Amino acid sequence: MHPEDGQDGRGRWKALVPLGLAQFLVVLDTSVMNVSISQLVADFSTTITAIQATITLYTLVMAAFLIVGSQVGDIIGRRRAFGIGLVVYGIGSGLTSIAPALWVLVLGWSVIEGLGGALVLPALAALVGGNYTGRDRAAAYGVIGGLAGAGIAVGPLLGGWMTTYLSWRFVFAGEVVVVVFILLTMRWIADAPAIGPRRRLDAVGATLSVVGLALVVLGVLQSGAWGWLRPLDPPVTVFGLSPTPFVIAAGLVLLGLLRSWLRRRERRGLDPLIRWRLFDVTPLRAALATLVAQNLILLGLFFTIPLYLQVVHGLNAFETGLRLLPVSVTMLVTSMCAPLLNRVASPRTVARVAFAVLFAATMWLVATVRPALDDASFAVAMALLGIGTGLLAAQLGNVAQSSVGDSERSEVGGLQYTAQNLGSSLGTALIGSVVVGALTVTALSGVQEDPRISDAVQEQVGVAVAGSVQFVPIDQVRQALADAQVPPAEATAILTTYADAQLQALRIALLVAAAIALLSLFLTRGLPGTRLAEPVGEPERGPAGPEPVEFLRRG
């Protein structure tokens, strides 16, 4: 029985209030801190690379534990898991708001909040699917997708205002209040109990999943500091090479073992961490791959763009958030148009248009990365970016959840949000490592090739950077050169080279994001090629189980 049964038109949507707020809240944290990078570096006396790792760890913890969280939800009940996850999330937010040191920030935000989110999100996806049917479900997922997009987009503006005029700590204190409100309104949500026998936790599968995903993202994250093949400054080397490819390979091996383990448990009739046969559902597989790509691009850009605005141009957090406002507006408007989009175009068509728009927006951003900021051109690029992301957010959640039956919704919710957070982790890690790597290569080669800089100073610079160059404001580099007593003429040449290298590194990172958007067009082939809003005859049966594949109903 759905909560809308016997209720008026407004009453049946009450469940979306706590569910939508929870979605907004968890996603908000993936972007709210990006505009506060400079302030976090100052508050905790650390580096941009350390803050990059902290941001990445938040999404990585969720990505690693989401599948486990979905199985826990099946065992203890989806609504109960949702509530427990919110309590854990609130505790992490409270601890983050008073963090006196970086390690406390990491514990509260990256670890505790991440674990809370890993319980909340898969339960949330299953609860939306269990509380609504047919066209109402498509609309509900459109709203949830819109709020997810809004959380990513509003985060920079909210975080920027708080950081500039109050403190970023107030964001997390406010989250505690929101968590309390959600807990008080949970009675509006009807539970969506798992169908079938009571499941047991697959501890071996959970371990392989968590460690495998963690190693893959760790390798990508540290590639900027360790080097991809040639070692820069790693803790150890392997056969004279950087440990990066070996760490990534170890993670992939564990994920391969996870696949074998899950299939073995399925053959024996035991509860696997997740039923591998779900990946035989083509629309689901395509939706998951597309979610990874979408979030990789978006969070990679949301890490890169604040560096350009804050470090290169010296804007404060609120000014940075204002420059990102066009993303907020166009993403929210576009994603809320899901019901209309479903009536005029198929998910495959919408996704392809979205990636084409993301490619155009990213290439436009490349053209705007200049010594002088062109606000008008930058705003247009940001608006296009929001349209592309909003188009994807409006479709993929509904495709993923509607491609299976009720008994698999929690598992698919875990997979869906794992894909999102894995993409977010890889986006911040990969694009961040590209920025650092490109800056290092460009800056050092520029210094070595500049005839104005003596051999002694070139050697001094090479020793000082110890393999990698930090992305820091020009004033900080100027002070470091003065402290090192570099002659003024040579210091000026180094500063010019470093400033040019920063812009070049940002352009290269944006070009990588654009290339990913272009390649992602191939991931959309498995998405439904028919409109979701058209009524048809008998629904087809999907390979994941006896339940109807609901996207074939198209409403």
Side-chain angles (χ1 to χ4, degrees):
M1 172 129 179
H2 299 286
E4 65 264 33
D5 295 341
Q7 296 183 16
D8 60 24
R10 292 174 296 175
R12 73 175 188 268
W13 296 109
K14 288 172 67 175
L16 276 184
V17 174
L19 292 171
L21 275 176
Q23 173 71 84
F24 179 85
L25 191 64
V26 176
V27 175
L28 178 75
D29 273 2
T30 62
S31 62
V32 72
M33 297 294 266
N34 286 293
V35 295
S36 305
I37 291 174
S38 296
Q39 189 61 49
L40 290 168
V41 169
D43 286 353
F44 295 110
S45 300
T46 186
T47 65
I48 286 175
T49 303
I51 300 303
Q52 174 200 1
T54 304
I55 294 171
T56 302
L57 184 60
Y58 170 71
T59 50
L60 172 58
V61 168
M62 277 200 288
F65 284 93
L66 273 162
I67 297 177
V68 180
S70 70
Q71 193 174 40
V72 171
D74 284 346
I75 294 170
I76 68 174
R78 277 85 177 260
R79 193 166 68 171
R80 181 179 296 175
F82 181 74
I84 293 173
L86 282 170
V87 172
V88 174
Y89 194 90
I91 292 171
S93 296
L95 182 59
T96 302
S97 69
I98 60 172
L102 183 62
W103 72 268
V104 181
L105 177 75
V106 171
L107 176 63
W109 181 37
S110 303
V111 178
I112 298 178
E113 283 194 43
L115 291 173
L119 277 174
V120 168
L121 291 178
L124 186 153
L127 288 169
V128 173
N131 277 256
Y132 299 97
T133 58
R135 291 185 178 178
D136 284 352
R137 178 180 292 163
Y141 278 119
V143 171
I144 293 295
L147 289 170
I152 293 175
V154 171
L157 186 62
L158 177 63
W161 187 86
M162 288 286 191
T163 300
T164 301
Y165 297 108
L166 295 171
S167 169
W168 54 267
R169 298 178 186 275
F170 282 92
V171 175
F172 295 94
E175 288 183 354
V176 177
V177 177
V178 176
V179 165
V180 171
F181 176 80
I182 296 172
L183 291 171
L184 292 175
T185 56
M186 275 185 57
R187 65 182 185 277
W188 296 342
I189 307 171
D191 200 1
I195 298 174
R198 186 181 181 89
R199 301 182 66 190
R200 294 184 177 180
L201 182 64
D202 177 8
V204 174
T207 302
L208 290 172
S209 172
V210 169
V211 178
L213 288 172
L215 287 176
V216 170
V217 177
L218 174 66
V220 176
L221 175 64
Q222 292 298 113
S223 60
W226 293 350
W228 281 99
L229 287 175
R230 184 177 65 85
L232 295 178
D233 189 25
V236 296
T237 58
V238 182
F239 306 118
L241 300 174
S242 166
T244 298
F246 298 96
V247 171
I248 295 174
L252 293 175
V253 167
L254 290 179
L255 293 177
L257 292 174
L258 171 65
R259 178 174 177 265
S260 300
W261 172 261
L262 296 178
R263 287 186 164 180
R264 178 185 176 188
R265 286 183 69 87
E266 282 185 297
R267 287 195 301 268
R268 294 186 174 186
L270 302 174
D271 290 330
L273 178 69
I274 192 162
R275 283 165 277 196
W276 193 263
R277 67 176 183 268
L278 289 173
F279 291 101
D280 293 333
V281 182
T282 301
L284 173 60
R285 190 170 62 244
L288 295 176
T290 309
L291 280 167
V292 172
Q294 171 201 352
N295 283 271
L296 194 157
I297 296 166
L298 184 61
L299 270 295
L301 293 177
F302 269 54
F303 179 78
T304 304
I305 292 169
L307 291 182
Y308 172 60
L309 296 176
Q310 291 187 336
V311 179
V312 174
H313 289 293
L315 301 185
N316 63 34
F318 182 58
E319 291 169 335
T320 300
L322 283 177
R323 298 311 192 282
L324 299 180
L325 183 59
V327 179
S328 308
V329 175
T330 56
M331 185 187 298
L332 185 59
V333 171
T334 306
S335 58
M336 289 299 183
C337 292
L340 295 177
L341 291 172
N342 291 340
R343 295 176 183 274
V344 300
S346 69
R348 184 188 305 163
T349 299
V350 173
R352 288 177 174 175
V353 171
F355 280 120
V357 173
L358 285 177
F359 174 76
T362 310
M363 293 302 296
W364 196 314
L365 280 172
V366 174
T368 66
V369 176
R370 300 172 181 172
L373 178 61
D374 185 341
D375 279 320
S377 182
F378 187 82
V380 173
M382 289 289 96
L384 281 176
L385 179 62
I387 291 172
T389 307
L391 288 172
L392 289 171
Q395 298 294 313
L396 299 180
N398 189 31
V399 170
Q401 285 290 322
S402 297
S403 62
V404 297
D406 290 337
S407 65
E408 286 109 357
R409 292 208 192 282
S410 184
E411 286 178 271
V412 169
L415 287 174
Q416 175 185 336
Y417 287 109
T418 296
Q420 289 185 8
N421 284 279
L422 181 60
S424 299
S425 299
L426 290 174
T428 305
L430 177 62
I431 303 302
S433 70
V434 170
V435 170
V436 173
L439 177 65
T440 298
V441 172
T442 307
L444 289 179
S445 63
V447 168
Q448 292 169 358
E449 295 171 4
D450 195 327
R452 297 173 296 176
I453 304 173
S454 66
D455 292 341
V457 172
Q458 289 181 13
E459 182 178 355
Q460 186 179 1
V461 170
V463 171
V465 300
S468 63
V469 176
Q470 293 293 325
F471 204 104
V472 296
I474 290 294
D475 288 343
Q476 189 172 331
V477 179
R478 181 180 291 110
Q479 184 60 49
L481 293 172
D483 293 342
Q485 298 181 342
V486 174
E490 294 184 68
T492 300
I494 293 173
L495 289 172
T496 301
T497 299
Y498 181 77
D500 292 341
Q502 281 186 324
L503 296 177
Q504 190 64 17
L506 291 169
R507 293 188 191 106
I508 292 171
L510 292 173
L511 285 172
V512 170
I516 294 171
L518 195 60
L519 292 173
S520 297
L521 289 169
F522 295 100
L523 301 177
T524 64
R525 290 177 295 177
L527 293 175
T530 50
R531 287 179 291 176
L532 297 178
E534 295 177 353
V536 294
E538 290 297 315
E540 297 185 19
R541 301 282 172 173
E547 295 83 0
V549 180
E550 296 198 12
F551 70 83
L552 291 173
R553 294 180 180 175
R554 306 180 198 105

